[in-house]
PDB file of all heavy atoms in Angstrom:
ATOM      1  N   SER A  10       2.336-168.897  27.369  1.00 40.00           N
ATOM      2  CA  SER A  10       1.262-168.329  26.555  1.00 40.00           C
ATOM      3  C   SER A  10       1.611-166.936  26.044  1.00 40.00           C
ATOM      4  O   SER A  10       0.948-166.412  25.172  1.00 40.00           O
ATOM      5  CB  SER A  10      -0.017-168.245  27.387  1.00 40.00           C
ATOM      6  OG  SER A  10       0.261-167.462  28.527  1.00 40.00           O
ATOM      7  N   SER A  11       2.696-166.383  26.620  1.00 39.00           N
ATOM      8  CA  SER A  11       3.088-165.035  26.230  1.00 39.00           C
ATOM      9  C   SER A  11       3.264-164.936  24.715  1.00 39.00           C
ATOM     10  O   SER A  11       3.847-165.808  24.089  1.00 39.00           O
ATOM     11  CB  SER A  11       4.400-164.687  26.946  1.00 39.00           C
ATOM     12  OG  SER A  11       5.045-163.658  26.246  1.00 39.00           O
ATOM     13  N   ALA A  12       2.697-163.890  24.149  1.00 40.00           N
ATOM     14  CA  ALA A  12       2.743-163.749  22.699  1.00 40.00           C
ATOM     15  C   ALA A  12       4.183-163.681  22.197  1.00 40.00           C
ATOM     16  O   ALA A  12       4.541-164.295  21.209  1.00 40.00           O
ATOM     17  CB  ALA A  12       1.973-162.505  22.282  1.00 40.00           C
ATOM     18  N   LYS A  13       4.990-162.927  22.925  1.00 45.00           N
ATOM     19  CA  LYS A  13       6.394-162.817  22.513  1.00 45.00           C
ATOM     20  C   LYS A  13       7.196-163.819  23.335  1.00 45.00           C
ATOM     21  O   LYS A  13       7.375-163.633  24.527  1.00 45.00           O
ATOM     22  CB  LYS A  13       6.909-161.400  22.790  1.00 45.00           C
ATOM     23  CG  LYS A  13       6.348-160.359  21.877  1.00 45.00           C
ATOM     24  CD  LYS A  13       7.138-159.070  22.077  1.00 45.00           C
ATOM     25  CE  LYS A  13       6.270-157.888  21.723  1.00 45.00           C
ATOM     26  NZ  LYS A  13       6.547-156.745  22.544  1.00 45.00           N
ATOM     27  N   SER A  14       7.674-164.871  22.717  1.00 41.00           N
ATOM     28  CA  SER A  14       8.327-165.906  23.506  1.00 41.00           C
ATOM     29  C   SER A  14       9.654-165.410  24.086  1.00 41.00           C
ATOM     30  O   SER A  14      10.118-165.909  25.094  1.00 41.00           O
ATOM     31  CB  SER A  14       8.542-167.156  22.673  1.00 41.00           C
ATOM     32  OG  SER A  14       9.282-166.812  21.532  1.00 41.00           O
ATOM     33  N   ASN A  15      10.280-164.400  23.458  1.00 46.00           N
ATOM     34  CA  ASN A  15      11.544-163.922  24.032  1.00 46.00           C
ATOM     35  C   ASN A  15      11.314-162.987  25.220  1.00 46.00           C
ATOM     36  O   ASN A  15      12.237-162.413  25.752  1.00 46.00           O
ATOM     37  CB  ASN A  15      12.441-163.270  22.976  1.00 46.00           C
ATOM     38  CG  ASN A  15      11.748-162.125  22.280  1.00 46.00           C
ATOM     39  OD1 ASN A  15      10.578-161.871  22.554  1.00 46.00           O
ATOM     40  ND2 ASN A  15      12.459-161.442  21.397  1.00 46.00           N
ATOM     41  N   ASP A  16      10.075-162.878  25.637  1.00 48.00           N
ATOM     42  CA  ASP A  16       9.786-162.143  26.873  1.00 48.00           C
ATOM     43  C   ASP A  16       9.840-163.080  28.077  1.00 48.00           C
ATOM     44  O   ASP A  16       9.425-162.719  29.165  1.00 48.00           O
ATOM     45  CB  ASP A  16       8.393-161.508  26.819  1.00 48.00           C
ATOM     46  CG  ASP A  16       8.457-160.114  26.216  1.00 48.00           C
ATOM     47  OD1 ASP A  16       9.582-159.637  25.949  1.00 48.00           O
ATOM     48  OD2 ASP A  16       7.405-159.521  26.017  1.00 48.00           O
ATOM     49  N   ALA A  17      10.373-164.289  27.860  1.00 47.00           N
ATOM     50  CA  ALA A  17      10.325-165.295  28.920  1.00 47.00           C
ATOM     51  C   ALA A  17      11.093-164.864  30.170  1.00 47.00           C
ATOM     52  O   ALA A  17      10.791-165.291  31.262  1.00 47.00           O
ATOM     53  CB  ALA A  17      10.872-166.616  28.406  1.00 47.00           C
ATOM     54  N   ILE A  18      12.100-164.005  29.993  1.00 56.00           N
ATOM     55  CA  ILE A  18      12.781-163.500  31.180  1.00 56.00           C
ATOM     56  C   ILE A  18      12.230-162.119  31.487  1.00 56.00           C
ATOM     57  O   ILE A  18      12.233-161.240  30.642  1.00 56.00           O
ATOM     58  CB  ILE A  18      14.307-163.435  30.955  1.00 56.00           C
ATOM     59  CG1 ILE A  18      14.864-164.854  30.905  1.00 56.00           C
ATOM     60  CG2 ILE A  18      14.984-162.628  32.058  1.00 56.00           C
ATOM     61  CD1 ILE A  18      16.350-164.927  30.712  1.00 56.00           C
ATOM     62  N   SER A  19      11.688-161.951  32.681  1.00 62.00           N
ATOM     63  CA  SER A  19      11.132-160.645  33.002  1.00 62.00           C
ATOM     64  C   SER A  19      11.838-160.071  34.217  1.00 62.00           C
ATOM     65  O   SER A  19      12.427-160.786  35.007  1.00 62.00           O
ATOM     66  CB  SER A  19       9.632-160.759  33.255  1.00 62.00           C
ATOM     67  OG  SER A  19       9.428-161.557  34.387  1.00 62.00           O
ATOM     68  N   VAL A  20      11.777-158.753  34.319  1.00 66.00           N
ATOM     69  CA  VAL A  20      12.408-158.094  35.450  1.00 66.00           C
ATOM     70  C   VAL A  20      11.307-157.719  36.424  1.00 66.00           C
ATOM     71  O   VAL A  20      10.313-157.130  36.054  1.00 66.00           O
ATOM     72  CB  VAL A  20      13.139-156.821  34.980  1.00 66.00           C
ATOM     73  CG1 VAL A  20      13.778-156.100  36.150  1.00 66.00           C
ATOM     74  CG2 VAL A  20      14.181-157.163  33.929  1.00 66.00           C
ATOM     75  N   GLN A  21      11.474-158.099  37.676  1.00 74.00           N
ATOM     76  CA  GLN A  21      10.471-157.792  38.692  1.00 74.00           C
ATOM     77  C   GLN A  21      10.996-156.712  39.611  1.00 74.00           C
ATOM     78  O   GLN A  21      12.142-156.773  40.047  1.00 74.00           O
ATOM     79  CB  GLN A  21      10.213-159.041  39.519  1.00 74.00           C
ATOM     80  CG  GLN A  21       9.376-160.045  38.802  1.00 74.00           C
ATOM     81  CD  GLN A  21       8.123-160.289  39.590  1.00 74.00           C
ATOM     82  OE1 GLN A  21       8.178-160.496  40.792  1.00 74.00           O
ATOM     83  NE2 GLN A  21       7.000-160.254  38.931  1.00 74.00           N
ATOM     84  N   VAL A  22      10.171-155.760  39.885  1.00 77.00           N
ATOM     85  CA  VAL A  22      10.619-154.651  40.713  1.00 77.00           C
ATOM     86  C   VAL A  22       9.752-154.572  41.962  1.00 77.00           C
ATOM     87  O   VAL A  22       8.540-154.686  41.891  1.00 77.00           O
ATOM     88  CB  VAL A  22      10.487-153.320  39.930  1.00 77.00           C
ATOM     89  CG1 VAL A  22      10.949-152.159  40.779  1.00 77.00           C
ATOM     90  CG2 VAL A  22      11.274-153.394  38.636  1.00 77.00           C
ATOM     91  N   ASP A  23      10.401-154.421  43.113  1.00 82.00           N
ATOM     92  CA  ASP A  23       9.652-154.149  44.344  1.00 82.00           C
ATOM     93  C   ASP A  23       9.660-152.650  44.570  1.00 82.00           C
ATOM     94  O   ASP A  23      10.716-152.018  44.493  1.00 82.00           O
ATOM     95  CB  ASP A  23      10.327-154.843  45.543  1.00 82.00           C
ATOM     96  CG  ASP A  23      10.171-156.352  45.456  1.00 82.00           C
ATOM     97  OD1 ASP A  23       9.136-156.793  44.924  1.00 82.00           O
ATOM     98  OD2 ASP A  23      11.086-157.066  45.891  1.00 82.00           O
ATOM     99  N   TRP A  24       8.501-152.071  44.869  1.00 86.00           N
ATOM    100  CA  TRP A  24       8.427-150.615  45.068  1.00 86.00           C
ATOM    101  C   TRP A  24       8.599-150.256  46.517  1.00 86.00           C
ATOM    102  O   TRP A  24       8.178-151.012  47.369  1.00 86.00           O
ATOM    103  CB  TRP A  24       7.078-150.105  44.545  1.00 86.00           C
ATOM    104  CG  TRP A  24       6.918-150.426  43.124  1.00 86.00           C
ATOM    105  CD1 TRP A  24       6.191-151.448  42.587  1.00 86.00           C
ATOM    106  CD2 TRP A  24       7.541-149.755  42.027  1.00 86.00           C
ATOM    107  NE1 TRP A  24       6.321-151.459  41.221  1.00 86.00           N
ATOM    108  CE2 TRP A  24       7.129-150.426  40.847  1.00 86.00           C
ATOM    109  CE3 TRP A  24       8.406-148.671  41.897  1.00 86.00           C
ATOM    110  CZ2 TRP A  24       7.565-150.040  39.577  1.00 86.00           C
ATOM    111  CZ3 TRP A  24       8.819-148.278  40.646  1.00 86.00           C
ATOM    112  CH2 TRP A  24       8.400-148.970  39.498  1.00 86.00           C
ATOM    113  N   PRO A  25       9.190-149.095  46.840  1.00 94.00           N
ATOM    114  CA  PRO A  25       9.849-148.195  45.904  1.00 94.00           C
ATOM    115  C   PRO A  25      11.182-148.780  45.448  1.00 94.00           C
ATOM    116  O   PRO A  25      11.728-149.670  46.106  1.00 94.00           O
ATOM    117  CB  PRO A  25      10.080-146.932  46.732  1.00 94.00           C
ATOM    118  CG  PRO A  25      10.170-147.415  48.141  1.00 94.00           C
ATOM    119  CD  PRO A  25       9.267-148.608  48.233  1.00 94.00           C
ATOM    120  N   VAL A  26      11.704-148.255  44.337  1.00 96.00           N
ATOM    121  CA  VAL A  26      12.979-148.757  43.840  1.00 96.00           C
ATOM    122  C   VAL A  26      14.005-147.626  43.917  1.00 96.00           C
ATOM    123  O   VAL A  26      13.708-146.477  43.597  1.00 96.00           O
ATOM    124  CB  VAL A  26      12.806-149.349  42.419  1.00 96.00           C
ATOM    125  CG1 VAL A  26      12.306-148.338  41.426  1.00 96.00           C
ATOM    126  CG2 VAL A  26      14.105-149.969  41.907  1.00 96.00           C
ATOM    127  N   ASN A  27      15.210-147.964  44.411  1.00 98.00           N
ATOM    128  CA  ASN A  27      16.282-146.971  44.542  1.00 98.00           C
ATOM    129  C   ASN A  27      17.336-147.208  43.471  1.00 98.00           C
ATOM    130  O   ASN A  27      17.980-148.256  43.446  1.00 98.00           O
ATOM    131  CB  ASN A  27      16.952-147.076  45.914  1.00 98.00           C
ATOM    132  CG  ASN A  27      16.058-146.548  47.015  1.00 98.00           C
ATOM    133  OD1 ASN A  27      15.068-145.861  46.748  1.00 98.00           O
ATOM    134  ND2 ASN A  27      16.397-146.864  48.248  1.00 98.00           N
ATOM    135  N   ILE A  28      17.510-146.240  42.606  1.00 98.00           N
ATOM    136  CA  ILE A  28      18.444-146.402  41.487  1.00 98.00           C
ATOM    137  C   ILE A  28      19.576-145.386  41.620  1.00 98.00           C
ATOM    138  O   ILE A  28      19.336-144.199  41.840  1.00 98.00           O
ATOM    139  CB  ILE A  28      17.715-146.196  40.136  1.00 98.00           C
ATOM    140  CG1 ILE A  28      16.457-147.081  40.071  1.00 98.00           C
ATOM    141  CG2 ILE A  28      18.656-146.490  38.976  1.00 98.00           C
ATOM    142  CD1 ILE A  28      15.617-146.884  38.811  1.00 98.00           C
ATOM    143  N   LEU A  29      20.798-145.884  41.477  1.00 98.00           N
ATOM    144  CA  LEU A  29      21.956-144.990  41.535  1.00 98.00           C
ATOM    145  C   LEU A  29      22.341-144.604  40.103  1.00 98.00           C
ATOM    146  O   LEU A  29      22.819-145.442  39.338  1.00 98.00           O
ATOM    147  CB  LEU A  29      23.135-145.686  42.230  1.00 98.00           C
ATOM    148  CG  LEU A  29      24.389-144.838  42.386  1.00 98.00           C
ATOM    149  CD1 LEU A  29      24.147-143.665  43.341  1.00 98.00           C
ATOM    150  CD2 LEU A  29      25.561-145.681  42.894  1.00 98.00           C
ATOM    151  N   GLY A  30      22.096-143.348  39.752  1.00 98.00           N
ATOM    152  CA  GLY A  30      22.437-142.856  38.418  1.00 98.00           C
ATOM    153  C   GLY A  30      23.872-142.358  38.400  1.00 98.00           C
ATOM    154  O   GLY A  30      24.292-141.650  39.313  1.00 98.00           O
ATOM    155  N   LEU A  31      24.623-142.738  37.373  1.00 98.00           N
ATOM    156  CA  LEU A  31      26.019-142.312  37.250  1.00 98.00           C
ATOM    157  C   LEU A  31      26.209-141.555  35.951  1.00 98.00           C
ATOM    158  O   LEU A  31      25.891-142.066  34.873  1.00 98.00           O
ATOM    159  CB  LEU A  31      26.951-143.535  37.233  1.00 98.00           C
ATOM    160  CG  LEU A  31      26.915-144.461  38.446  1.00 98.00           C
ATOM    161  CD1 LEU A  31      27.859-145.645  38.207  1.00 98.00           C
ATOM    162  CD2 LEU A  31      27.311-143.710  39.716  1.00 98.00           C
ATOM    163  N   ASN A  32      26.736-140.345  36.069  1.00 98.00           N
ATOM    164  CA  ASN A  32      26.930-139.530  34.872  1.00 98.00           C
ATOM    165  C   ASN A  32      28.382-139.111  34.719  1.00 98.00           C
ATOM    166  O   ASN A  32      29.008-138.649  35.663  1.00 98.00           O
ATOM    167  CB  ASN A  32      26.058-138.265  34.952  1.00 98.00           C
ATOM    168  CG  ASN A  32      26.229-137.395  33.725  1.00 98.00           C
ATOM    169  OD1 ASN A  32      26.044-137.874  32.599  1.00 98.00           O
ATOM    170  ND2 ASN A  32      26.601-136.149  33.902  1.00 98.00           N
TER     171      ASN A  32
END
Side-chain angles (χ1 to χ4, degrees):
S10 58
S11 158
K13 289 191 207 146
S14 56
N15 57 357
D16 271 355
I18 290 181
S19 64
V20 179
Q21 284 240 312
V22 180
D23 290 328
W24 301 101
V26 60
N27 288 345
I28 308 176
L29 182 66
L31 301 177
N32 180 55

